[in-house]
Amino acid sequence: MTNAIKLLKDRYLKNIKENPTIYVGIELEFPIVNCQGEATDINIAKNLLKRLIDQHSFEVEKFDRAGNPIQIKSKENEDRILFEVSYNTLEFAFEKAAKIQEVEERFTEYLSVIQSILGEDDHELQGKGIHPFWDKNDNSPVQSPRYEMLMQYLSMSKTLELKTLHSYPEYGAFICGNQIQLDVSKENFISVVNVFNQIEAAKAYLFANSEFPDSSWNTKIARDIFWEQSMHGILQENAGVNLKDFQNEDEFFSYLSKSAIFTAKRGNQDYYFFPIPAIDYLSHEKIKAYNLSGETVELTPKQEDFENHRSYQYQDLTTRGTVEFRSVCAQPFDRTFISAAFHLGILANLENVQKYLQEADFFKKEGRNYKQLRQKFSKKKISRSAATHVRNFANDLIQLAIVGLVARNNGEEFYLKNLIVKEKEE
């Protein structure tokens, strides 16, 4: 085992339990939108968090350099509300819950209060995967080192002559996702990653909500292109759909070792640099890096830098003993918790889903290139036969998810009752 793989295993396996209780961790991002069709007033956005602190049961956890709160925490639980990358996007990061309804109840309360506050200044949150007025907004990062570093890193693409990269390095300021984390065990995490990677085509078909009007991109999920054709995707193992099924833990970590390290801390300073595969990182004597002032320095790689490793795969093993599912766009408010229920149901019925996927007609007809399948079924138009294939595939998975949710006995199958796709909707 190489040192890099050992460090990655130490990082990602230390909190995985043998037989965990399944909790639901949900993170929701939404654009803050000016209802007049103009740029979001970031002063109104900043004032929102101040109002929530003054008038409701929140306290400040993080400030920006100007002293504005950028992350607040409920005094009653571990729920957090924060700005995500820019002041134009609001994120809800909920405390893990035993069932989805607990999260929905608190979200409904928060949303009512927030929409009321924003409405006083003709702003609102919207359930869209891309900010509708992204091109008018101030897309500068939140004034904190993490987001400033990330935005400067992504902007490195402007200096590269790579035709594979898009020209929107500021995309982190205006794309919004709907993410769920679910507990996994040492025994099943490989199966979980494989199963959900295999069904990305169905998820694209069911949850697409980020069409990008400023381009000729033939996709209803522009966020895939934003991620995969940016600095995050220069190493193809670093972002998006996994290219293969993993046979065992060693094969998974061998793949993960090809993902990127691109940032390091030295004292209080954040640095970023051209992405280096984790497997090669410690073999470099020196690395050319940049601080937030744009100054160039030489860094000596350290093992401790692996603590900053984070890949951007759509099935992402976290350091918390969970897998985070990252490929779903922000959804309309009336569909916000459907994708969480879908993921949870599939996990709860994992063994039967695995058996189904081994012999699924969908793969016999469409092949098993999971990355290409997601791209194909997120296109704006697909053929009638392809639509039939993916519709049947998605509906089979929904039924399997419903069985899993019924077995949990929490009433969560309610969320999937209207998800079955009818042929007339093609």
Side-chain angles (χ1 to χ4, degrees):
M1 185 189 304
T2 69
N3 196 28
I5 290 178
K6 181 181 184 303
L7 290 168
L8 290 171
K9 284 191 173 186
D10 289 345
R11 174 166 169 77
Y12 290 105
L13 296 181
K14 62 184 177 184
N15 290 322
I16 291 188
K17 298 181 175 66
E18 291 291 347
N19 188 25
T21 302
I22 304 300
Y23 289 99
V24 180
I26 295 176
E27 297 178 4
L28 306 171
E29 301 162 359
F30 299 103
I32 304 170
V33 179
N34 185 330
C35 299
Q36 296 298 318
E38 299 300 326
T40 297
D41 186 330
I42 62 174
N43 289 318
I44 290 171
K46 293 174 184 176
N47 186 57
L48 169 65
L49 295 197
K50 295 175 183 176
R51 291 274 299 273
L52 290 173
I53 295 161
D54 291 341
Q55 300 175 18
H56 302 278
S57 56
F58 289 91
E59 57 191 0
V60 184
E61 271 197 325
K62 295 180 181 178
F63 294 92
D64 66 14
R65 279 199 308 281
N68 298 298
I70 56 173
Q71 178 171 310
I72 60 177
K73 176 180 172 293
S74 171
K75 294 178 181 177
E76 299 171 356
N77 50 53
E78 294 295 311
D79 292 348
R80 289 166 171 84
I81 298 175
L82 59 145
F83 294 118
E84 170 66 12
V85 182
S86 78
Y87 297 99
N88 306 308
T89 300
L90 197 69
E91 176 180 330
F92 300 82
F94 293 94
E95 179 182 16
K96 67 180 183 182
K99 58 183 182 179
I100 296 172
Q101 293 94 322
E102 296 174 15
V103 179
E104 183 183 24
E105 182 178 341
R106 298 203 301 277
F107 172 69
T108 301
E109 293 176 6
Y110 299 150
L111 183 64
S112 175
V113 171
I114 287 168
Q115 296 291 54
S116 176
I117 293 172
L118 291 175
E120 295 173 15
D121 293 299
D122 223 7
H123 282 56
E124 66 180 7
L125 298 186
Q126 292 186 358
K128 296 181 178 179
I130 292 181
H131 196 297
F133 307 120
W134 69 273
D135 53 338
K136 298 180 180 180
N137 283 346
D138 177 353
N139 290 313
S140 302
V142 170
Q143 292 183 334
S144 71
R146 177 186 169 217
Y147 291 129
E148 290 170 332
M149 178 277 296
L150 182 61
M151 198 73 88
Q152 290 186 30
Y153 167 71
L154 290 171
S155 293
M156 290 179 77
S157 63
K158 294 179 179 178
T159 67
L160 304 176
E161 295 183 3
L162 289 176
K163 295 180 180 179
T164 56
L165 302 185
H166 60 70
S167 55
Y168 306 94
E170 73 279 19
Y171 72 90
F174 56 79
I175 66 168
C176 297
N178 181 316
Q179 294 159 194
I180 180 170
Q181 290 190 41
L182 298 173
D183 293 276
V184 292
S185 68
K186 292 180 179 179
E187 182 180 355
N188 78 0
F189 82 89
I190 295 294
S191 297
V192 171
V193 169
N194 285 340
V195 161
F196 283 94
N197 197 63
Q198 290 175 31
I199 66 174
E200 281 295 348
K203 288 166 60 179
Y205 180 69
L206 292 170
F207 302 118
N209 193 33
S210 61
E211 197 168 318
F212 190 48
D214 198 57
S215 76
S216 58
W217 297 345
N218 180 20
T219 182
K220 294 187 287 185
I221 310 181
R223 69 193 306 269
D224 283 9
I225 295 176
F226 284 131
W227 281 57
E228 295 174 37
Q229 296 181 23
S230 73
M231 293 296 296
H232 282 322
I234 285 180
L235 304 180
Q236 64 176 348
E237 293 88 354
N238 194 63
V241 177
N242 295 328
L243 303 176
K244 59 183 289 186
D245 294 318
F246 304 112
Q247 301 306 311
N248 51 50
E249 179 183 297
D250 287 340
E251 201 171 279
F252 172 81
F253 278 98
S254 176
Y255 186 90
L256 191 64
S257 74
K258 298 174 185 176
S259 63
I261 293 178
F262 64 89
T263 181
K265 289 185 76 74
R266 295 292 183 268
N268 293 322
Q269 283 272 13
D270 288 85
Y271 295 93
Y272 62 94
F273 40 86
F274 195 83
I276 299 171
I279 193 73
D280 300 328
Y281 183 70
L282 293 173
S283 65
H284 289 255
E285 288 188 10
K286 296 287 183 182
I287 294 171
K288 182 181 178 182
Y290 307 89
N291 65 18
L292 297 184
S293 300
E295 298 168 332
T296 304
V297 299
E298 282 196 335
L299 296 182
T300 301
K302 297 181 178 181
Q303 291 190 9
E304 291 79 8
D305 296 337
F306 276 73
E307 292 300 309
N308 295 309
H309 176 271
R310 189 184 186 195
S311 63
Y312 294 85
Q313 295 143 352
Y314 292 163
Q315 279 58 243
D316 201 24
L317 184 62
T318 75
T319 59
R320 295 178 289 276
T322 65
V323 170
E324 182 174 32
F325 305 101
R326 306 171 61 88
S327 64
V328 174
C329 310
Q331 298 291 293
F333 291 130
D334 63 348
R335 289 172 56 89
T336 293
F337 293 95
I338 291 177
S339 70
F342 177 77
H343 285 78
L344 181 58
I346 294 292
L347 179 64
N349 196 16
L350 188 67
E351 187 174 333
N352 287 324
V353 175
Q354 281 182 288
K355 292 176 182 176
Y356 166 78
L357 293 174
Q358 287 172 2
E359 300 296 330
D361 286 344
F362 177 74
F363 294 124
K364 295 174 183 177
K365 294 170 181 173
E366 296 289 344
R368 279 190 176 269
N369 187 319
Y370 307 129
K371 195 178 190 76
Q372 288 184 5
L373 288 174
R374 180 165 169 94
Q375 292 170 349
K376 176 176 181 176
F377 291 104
S378 60
K379 288 182 177 178
K380 297 174 184 177
K381 295 286 185 182
I382 55 178
S383 70
R384 182 176 292 274
S385 62
T388 299
H389 297 162
V390 75
R391 181 180 66 249
N392 292 340
F393 183 49
N395 285 341
D396 286 348
L397 290 167
I398 293 165
Q399 295 291 0
L400 286 162
I402 288 172
V403 170
L405 294 175
V406 169
R408 280 173 52 81
N409 199 30
N410 287 328
E412 294 154 317
E413 64 274 10
F414 161 82
Y415 293 100
L416 301 187
K417 68 174 185 176
N418 295 321
L419 191 57
I420 300 294
V421 186
K422 307 289 195 303
E423 184 173 3
K424 66 182 180 180
E425 295 179 14
E426 302 299 350

